[in-house]
């Protein structure tokens, strides 16, 4: 059964309201840490938010979000690449 938090988080994600989505995905994962779909959405929400920050040249905040994204997907090569770019540009 899909929770109201999960549905709400997906709606925030679709509207590109990533921080709100992340907050709700965290609630979903606290209740069900094995929810792989919420885990993937949490990773993508952090990554997409990081990309927006990077495009806005807020490299320090972008780095934080890329690092947060790695908590959900350790093998994210794009995350590592953008962390390195952010460090150079900051």
């Amino acid at each position: 059964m899909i929770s109201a938090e999960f549905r709400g988080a997906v709606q925030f994600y679709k509207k590109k309201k990533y921080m709100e989505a992340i907050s709700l995905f965290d609630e979903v994962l606290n209740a069900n840490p094995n929810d792989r779909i919420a885990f993937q959405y949490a990773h993508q929400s952090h990554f997409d938010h990081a990309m927006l920050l990077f495009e806005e040249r807020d490299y320090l905040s972008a780095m934080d979000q890329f690092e947060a994204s790695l908590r959900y997907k350790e093998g994210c090569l794009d995350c590592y690449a953008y962390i390195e770019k952010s460090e150079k540009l900051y």
Side-chain angles (χ1 to χ4, degrees):
M1 185 165 166
I2 297 174
S3 69
E5 288 82 8
F6 182 84
R7 284 193 301 273
V10 170
Q11 290 303 313
F12 279 129
Y13 177 80
K14 288 180 179 179
K15 294 177 183 176
K16 299 183 180 188
K17 295 184 176 185
Y18 300 119
M19 294 310 294
E20 292 89 341
I22 290 165
S23 178
L24 288 178
F25 284 127
D26 284 346
E27 285 184 34
V28 171
L29 290 169
N30 282 334
N32 185 4
N34 296 319
D35 187 329
R36 291 187 308 169
I37 295 171
F39 213 75
Q40 291 171 349
Y41 265 113
H43 157 72
Q44 198 63 48
S45 296
H46 279 288
F47 184 83
D48 291 349
H49 186 65
M51 289 302 297
L52 286 176
L53 293 166
F54 187 87
E55 290 167 8
E56 293 172 355
R57 297 181 178 178
D58 185 352
Y59 301 118
L60 187 58
S61 296
M63 227 179 344
D64 289 342
Q65 288 301 307
F66 286 123
E67 289 171 355
S69 186
L70 286 169
R71 290 194 306 258
Y72 300 95
K73 187 177 178 184
E74 287 182 20
C76 177
L77 298 179
D78 288 335
C79 294
Y80 290 113
Y82 275 100
I83 288 169
E84 186 175 325
K85 288 178 187 179
S86 297
E87 286 174 342
K88 288 180 182 177
L89 293 168
Y90 177 67

